[in-house]
């Protein structure tokens, strides 16, 4: 599977998720595993003739090293455990303009476990167009911090500005992690809805790293 094919499949898998579900998952709690599961099912459904798709794959000699997603080439001689051709990690940022806490995760991901397979990071976040009232406390993760992204612009203009700031934060994180921008495929998914809030989902597929 070529790098471009894998990235495109990831984007298509995320875009296939119902947009109301996508908004809900991005705003509430930790959802990395949920996205991983949906993407794994997408690959398994379409590529199981040629590949094995593993979730939470671990290295046999190091049970502490897990990968959210691993893809193995399937052949007629696929009887023994082999090294995957692709491994991937999923990250969801609750506060889109503060992604620096992922830098160490990226650096560690590049170093740990296998050296041979291609490694990818899939990152998602969501930005709303209206403030979350206090009624959302405990329901929407970091709702006050999300509100601060809009500043005084509680409309599409504020949302667009927050998106640009999120992109800048992401690019800085990638630069600080010594990853080439050429290895990034990005996507904006519009028309996601959470109650009366319009959500735009931002997706980045980075790799191989």
């Amino acid at each position: 599977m070529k790098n471009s094919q894998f990235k495109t499949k990831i984007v298509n898998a995320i875009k296939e998720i119902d947009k109301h579900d996508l908004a809900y998952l991005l705003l509430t709690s930790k959802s990395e595993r949920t996205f991983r599961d949906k993407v794994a099912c997408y690959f398994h459904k379409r590529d199981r003739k040629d590949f094995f798709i593993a979730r939470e794959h671990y290295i046999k000699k190091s049970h502490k090293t897990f990968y959210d997603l691993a893809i193995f080439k399937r052949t007629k001689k696929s009887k023994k455990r082999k090294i995957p051709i692709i491994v991937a990690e999923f990250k969801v940022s609750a506060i889109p303009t503060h992604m620096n806490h992922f830098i160490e995760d990226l650096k560690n991901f590049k170093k740990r476990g296998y050296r041979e397979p291609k490694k990818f990071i899939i990152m998602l976040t969501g930005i709303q167009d209206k403030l979350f009232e206090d009624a959302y406390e405990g329901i929407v993760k970091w709702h006050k911090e999300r509100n601060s992204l809009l500043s005084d612009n509680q409309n599409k203009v504020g949302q667009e500005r927050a998106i640009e700031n999120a992109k800048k934060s992401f690019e800085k994180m990638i630069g600080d992690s010594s990853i080439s921008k050429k290895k990034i495929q990005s996507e904006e998914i519009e028309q996601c809805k959470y109650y009366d809030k319009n959500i735009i989902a931002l997706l980045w597929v980075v790799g191989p790293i």
Side-chain angles (χ1 to χ4, degrees), residues 23-72:
Y24 175 77
L25 291 170
L26 286 173
L27 297 177
T28 59
S29 189
K30 291 181 68 64
S31 51
E32 285 91 348
R33 290 184 179 182
T34 306
F35 284 116
R36 184 274 317 274
D37 291 346
K38 288 182 177 293
V39 168
C41 288
Y42 179 94
F43 274 89
H44 176 68
K45 182 178 180 181
R46 289 162 178 76
D47 297 295
R48 61 177 178 264
K49 288 184 178 179
D50 299 311
F51 302 96
F52 290 118
I53 312 300
R55 296 179 299 139
E56 289 199 45
H57 170 69
Y58 68 89
I59 299 175
K60 196 170 184 180
K61 294 181 180 179
S62 176
H63 290 258
K64 293 182 180 180
T65 302
F66 283 84
Y67 295 106
D68 288 337
L69 185 74
I71 298 178
F72 297 80

Side-chain angles (χ1 to χ4, degrees), residues 129-169:
D129 65 339
K130 298 177 183 177
L131 297 179
F132 289 108
E133 297 82 1
D134 288 340
Y136 287 96
E137 184 174 0
I139 300 169
V140 171
K141 191 174 180 65
W142 301 98
H143 81 288
K144 290 183 179 179
E145 287 78 3
R146 289 180 185 275
N147 285 346
S148 67
L149 301 177
L150 301 180
S151 300
D152 296 325
N153 296 298
Q154 191 183 165
N155 50 38
K156 189 174 182 180
V157 174
Q159 186 182 41
E160 289 175 351
R161 186 175 298 173
I163 288 171
E164 288 305 312
N165 289 336
K167 290 178 178 178
K168 289 178 183 178
S169 177

Side-chain angles (χ1 to χ4, degrees), residues 101-137:
H101 58 291
F102 287 130
I103 292 175
E104 286 304 313
D105 289 345
L106 288 173
K107 290 180 179 179
N108 291 334
F109 181 53
K110 289 168 68 176
K111 295 177 183 178
R112 68 177 166 86
Y114 295 120
R115 292 184 178 180
E116 293 183 29
K118 302 171 184 177
K119 296 181 178 180
F120 292 82
I121 291 281
I122 296 98
M123 298 193 65
L124 297 114
T125 193
I127 298 177
Q128 81 281 5
D129 65 339
K130 298 177 183 177
L131 297 179
F132 289 108
E133 297 82 1
D134 288 340
Y136 287 96
E137 184 174 0

Side-chain angles (χ1 to χ4, degrees), residues 5 131 198:
Q5 289 177 318
L131 297 179
N198 295 306

